[in-house]
């Protein structure tokens, strides 16, 4: 059976991490979140984590080389997986091209790119809300949140055209209850 490889796409605060939790259980997929991987490096106090902490604290994107390397290691460590949910990756054209090369080499291409759409003011409200309880530095400052949204618009949103050209892009309304949005995603996966 072919593997289910989903790119869960959307601006910061769109619900990628939240929805991934439900989809990995439902479809038995391995969850690969570059945000979580970078935060784990930070917690472990590695050199990479310290460098990433500074960049993430400004709301900017970490270098392609670093995140591509992290994803490559995880794909190679999970060869028996039924498939993957890529959460927060790819975020640039270079990352998307690298991911396609890795998966196509194994004849396990991306199945679909599901893009959660949420208006900017709702994103800011959600992220400030999380910042108030999680202590995540990049969620606690409105200026940093807006920088993340601008980074998304400039470097990440163009990937809609990249996946659209492959017939894999599907827009999903990301406003509503968590359950409603899970339902929309499941319908899109089919
Ligand atoms: P991430 O960890 O990917 O952070 P995110 O996009 O802000 O989170 P996410 O979108 O998963 O949060 P969710 O909506 O679920 O990235 C952090 C940083 O890491 C980046 O800024 C960058 O520096 C770096 N980075 C990561 N990947 C990279 C890459 N590939 N390349 C370069 N740099 C990279 O949740 C947000 C909030 O909304 C939560 O509080 C949640 O409870 C709430 N929420 C969710 N669904 C909701 C709903 N339906 N209604 C109301 N609230 C909802």
């Amino acid at each position: 059976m072919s593997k289910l490889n989903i790119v869960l796409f959307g601006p910061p605060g769109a619900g990628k991490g939240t929805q991934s939790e439900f989809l990995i259980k439902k479809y038995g997929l391995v969850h690969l979140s570059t945000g979580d991987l970078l935060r784990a490096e930070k917690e472990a106090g590695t050199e990479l984590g310290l460098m990433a902490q500074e960049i993430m604290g400004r709301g900017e994107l970490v270098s392609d080389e670093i995140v591509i390397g992290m994803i490559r290691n995880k794909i190679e460590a999970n060869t028996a997986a039924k498939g993957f949910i890529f959460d927060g990756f790819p975020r640039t054209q270079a990352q998307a091209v690298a991911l396609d090369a890795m998966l196509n080499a194994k004849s396990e291409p991306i199945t679909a790119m599901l893009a959660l759409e949420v208006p900017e003011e709702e994103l800011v409200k959600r992220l400030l809300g999380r910042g108030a309880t999680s202590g995540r530095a990049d969620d606690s400052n409105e200026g940093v949140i807006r920088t993340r949204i601008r980074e998304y618009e400039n470097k990440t949103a163009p990937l809609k055209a990249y996946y659209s050209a492959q017939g894999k892009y599907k827009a999903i309304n990301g406003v509503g209850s968590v359950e409603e949005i899970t339902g929309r995603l499941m319908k899109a996966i089919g």
Side-chain angles (χ1 to χ4, degrees):
M1 210 178 74
S2 63
K3 297 201 180 185
L4 186 62
N5 287 323
I6 304 287
V7 171
L8 198 53
F9 192 83
K16 302 181 296 287
T18 305
Q19 293 299 332
S20 290
E21 281 182 38
F22 294 94
L23 298 179
I24 54 174
K25 282 191 204 125
K26 166 84 185 157
Y27 298 102
L29 305 175
V30 172
H31 182 207
L32 295 185
S33 158
T34 37
D36 287 351
L37 292 170
L38 290 166
R39 280 185 289 277
E41 293 284 341
K42 186 186 111 183
E43 289 306 313
T46 64
E47 201 179 320
L48 176 99
L50 294 175
M51 191 188 60
Q53 178 177 8
E54 217 176 286
I55 299 167
M56 291 164 84
R58 292 198 297 267
E60 293 166 10
L61 293 184
V62 174
S63 83
D64 287 335
E65 200 189 346
I66 289 174
V67 290
I68 290 168
M70 287 191 329
I71 287 286
R72 188 187 306 281
N73 290 341
K74 290 289 173 186
I75 290 177
E76 283 168 8
N78 287 282
T79 46
K82 283 189 195 168
F84 295 100
I85 287 205
F86 296 97
D87 161 7
F89 181 93
R91 264 171 151 104
T92 64
Q93 171 106 359
Q95 293 177 21
V97 169
L99 181 61
D100 272 352
M102 284 181 238
L103 295 177
N104 290 339
K106 296 153 69 73
S107 301
E108 294 166 4
I110 291 296
T111 313
M113 184 265 220
L114 307 178
L116 291 167
E117 300 199 322
V118 177
E120 176 158 346
E121 293 318 306
E122 170 73 12
L123 297 173
V124 173
K125 195 174 90 185
R126 287 184 189 179
L127 293 174
L128 284 173
R130 182 169 65 185
T133 52
S134 73
R136 245 180 82 169
D138 61 343
D139 283 345
S140 305
N141 176 308
E142 188 171 334
V144 171
I145 290 173
R146 294 210 188 258
T147 299
R148 287 160 64 193
I149 296 171
R150 296 287 88 75
E151 284 276 269
Y152 168 80
E153 283 170 350
N154 294 333
K155 297 177 183 166
T156 309
L159 294 184
K160 291 180 194 174
Y162 179 88
Y163 286 101
S164 212
Q166 297 184 13
K168 293 178 179 171
Y169 162 69
K170 291 185 194 178
I172 307 288
N173 177 4
V175 180
S177 71
V178 170
E179 298 74 24
E180 276 167 346
I181 298 162
T182 308
R184 289 174 201 151
L185 290 166
M186 282 166 47
K187 203 167 153 209
I189 292 169

